[in-house]
Amino acid sequence: MGRVTERRRVVRVRGGVAGTRPDTLVAEEPLEIRLNGKPLAITMRTPGDDFALAVGFLVSEGVVGSADDVRAVTYCEGATEDGSNTYNVVNVQLAPGVALPDITLERNVYTTSSCGLCGKASLDAVRTATRFPPAADPVRLPVRLVGELPDRLRAAQKVFDRTGGLHAAGLFSASGELLDVREDVGRHNAVDKIIGRAVQAGRLPLAGSVLLVSGRASFELAQKAVMAGIPVLAAVSAPSSLAVDLAHEAGLTLIGFLRGGDMNIYAGEERIELPAQVG
């Protein structure tokens, strides 16, 4: 199986002096996801939690909604010409009776889960596809607690400390407890791993929880939160306009620029117990 980190030679310049040394880098390899033996998608990821990544991807696409929908997840043997296993091809076998997705879902290209969708069509697709709409989730969070979450996530990023090159996704309870954390070269992969592990543990929908992601909040990350029934998505950087539109459409609380206790709440502010407003 692939390694999470790899070593490479680097020339380092410090204080005008150059020298060579080994450096630890985050590994990046392709993962092909097959559904019932048929190629579905390829994503670039950090090896590890591949089965959870594949299942989480299928939740995001509306194919599965519980562990009962999945019969088996396996690495594909003979993935290379010499018959060896690269551990870069995963097959998800659906349980009997679970409908295969429409042919329009299939993308034999490098993909993100929102690939091929845009604008109003994207919003309509997610709203009608989710099994766990978050709009009615009654969770409320003190603004102080929300402000503490980035430090808690950062403290749990083990691989980032060695490489400085990974994104993270953390799942928190309404009381601020870190329930799970995953790291990957792609934010969407880290989120899929979080969701896939929740499916495997029988914990979907993820009601009453907060998903915190490093970097920005794109449409695809908001989509994944909605599809998993997560009511609050927070990011340390900016959201996209379509992510904000989806949050309003689906009843998702969306927070951006969450740093040092400061934040912008773009949608669903009723879930956050706010201080008195100045203007």
Side-chain angles (χ1 to χ4, degrees), residues 225-241:
V226 170
M227 295 297 287
I230 297 170
V232 181
L233 171 63
V236 300
S237 191
S240 69
S241 61

Side-chain angles (χ1 to χ4, degrees), residues 60-84:
S60 300
E61 299 293 349
V63 179
V64 304
S66 72
D68 292 337
D69 293 336
V70 179
R71 181 178 181 180
V73 186
T74 57
Y75 285 109
C76 296
E77 296 181 0
T80 62
E81 291 184 3
D82 63 4
S84 62

Side-chain angles (χ1 to χ4, degrees), residues 87-176:
Y87 295 99
N88 284 339
V89 182
V90 167
N91 182 56
V92 180
Q93 192 74 30
L94 296 180
V98 177
L100 285 168
D102 186 86
I103 191 69
T104 57
L105 176 65
E106 296 178 357
R107 313 180 189 98
N108 296 312
V109 294
Y110 292 94
T111 186
T112 65
S113 104
S114 59
C115 176
L117 300 175
C118 62
K120 190 63 167 61
S122 301
L123 305 182
D124 290 342
V126 177
R127 187 186 68 245
T128 57
T130 182
R131 308 183 191 191
F132 315 114
D137 195 307
V139 67
R140 288 182 61 83
L141 304 166
V143 68
R144 176 192 54 77
L145 183 147
V146 175
E148 294 172 353
L149 299 184
D151 286 342
R152 298 182 188 183
L153 177 61
R154 179 67 181 82
Q157 287 186 254
K158 298 179 180 179
V159 181
F160 182 88
D161 286 337
R162 289 150 52 201
T163 67
L166 279 183
H167 289 293
L171 185 71
F172 293 86
S173 71
S175 63

Side-chain angles (χ1 to χ4, degrees), residues 27 29 44 60 99 120 146 149 169 181 222 257 269:
E29 296 181 9
M44 300 302 295
S60 300
K120 190 63 167 61
V146 175
L149 299 184
V181 59
F257 294 107
E269 62 270 15

